[in-house]
Amino acid sequence: MDGVTIRNEVRPGDGEAIIALHAELYPVEYGMDERFVAGVRNAVETALAKGWPEGGGAWLVERNGLFSGSVGLTDEGDGLGRIRWVLMHPRVRGLGLGRRLVGEAVERARELGMRKLELDTFSDLRVAARIYRDLGFRVRSEERTTKWGPEIVYQYYELDLEQPEG
């Protein structure tokens, strides 16, 4: 993984970098519009205002000094955690980082004593879905929506951390 570094600390500007990477990739790759980016901005800013990554975790990827990916874990209270902002730039895709970092986020949630994890995504993200399902996440529900432009199947996943692994 030449030139790749992973940080677990959030530095000034990282929130904007997460938002910018979503704004760069999702409109081109999936046709998402400005409402999608606004939703990411709102979620990132809200989490930062609540002290994220405190009580959760952050995995921020850089390659040769360029912000290249993220995975976030937020504490939603009452034993619930949320996996967020799972995104890798094409320059780091195929290196196993998404699988590794989502796995680390799940382990961190267990260490923190979270009882359940949730995440939301959409069905076109097939590689991500495979990672989530391999880690034990199951689709709780799904719905068709055009809230960010093109019609997608929005999916809600969950993982019960109180069940034995495997």
Side-chain angles (χ1 to χ4, degrees):
M1 288 194 285
D2 191 37
V4 174
T5 58
I6 299 163
R7 295 189 279 111
N8 298 112
E9 66 176 293
V10 175
R11 298 176 185 159
D14 284 340
E16 281 301 319
I18 292 169
I19 296 161
L21 191 57
H22 282 78
E24 176 185 346
L25 299 179
Y26 276 86
V28 173
E29 295 179 355
Y30 300 102
M32 298 300 185
D33 64 23
E34 66 281 348
R35 295 172 293 175
F36 174 79
V37 176
V40 171
R41 176 176 298 286
N42 182 58
V44 169
E45 289 176 351
T46 298
L48 287 168
K50 290 180 178 179
W52 176 74
E54 187 68 32
W59 294 262
L60 305 173
V61 179
E62 293 177 346
R63 186 166 204 175
N64 300 322
L66 297 173
F67 189 87
S68 299
S70 62
V71 173
L73 169 66
T74 57
D75 181 352
E76 303 298 308
D78 201 27
L80 176 64
R82 181 169 292 279
I83 302 287
R84 298 175 175 266
W85 315 303
V86 177
L87 181 61
M88 298 295 150
H89 191 280
R91 67 180 152 257
V92 296
R93 290 182 189 159
L95 300 175
L97 290 168
R99 180 173 298 279
R100 173 182 155 195
L101 300 182
V102 173
E104 288 182 18
V106 170
E107 287 310 308
R108 176 75 177 140
R110 282 191 170 96
E111 290 169 8
L112 291 168
M114 293 179 181
R115 295 188 305 275
K116 187 188 329 183
L117 283 175
E118 295 180 339
L119 65 86
D120 43 285
T121 186
F122 59 99
S123 62
D124 287 350
L125 300 172
R126 290 177 186 85
V127 172
R130 194 170 327 119
I131 291 168
Y132 305 144
R133 289 177 175 158
D134 288 351
L135 289 168
F137 282 88
R138 298 291 169 247
V139 176
R140 182 184 71 218
S141 65
E142 50 187 25
E143 63 181 281
R144 291 194 175 280
T145 183
T146 57
K147 65 183 176 180
W148 298 312
E151 183 174 302
I152 59 170
V153 178
Y154 200 64
Q155 298 175 311
Y156 302 89
Y157 279 75
E158 66 182 15
L159 173 62
D160 183 350
L161 297 173
E162 295 182 314
Q163 294 296 316
E165 292 182 61

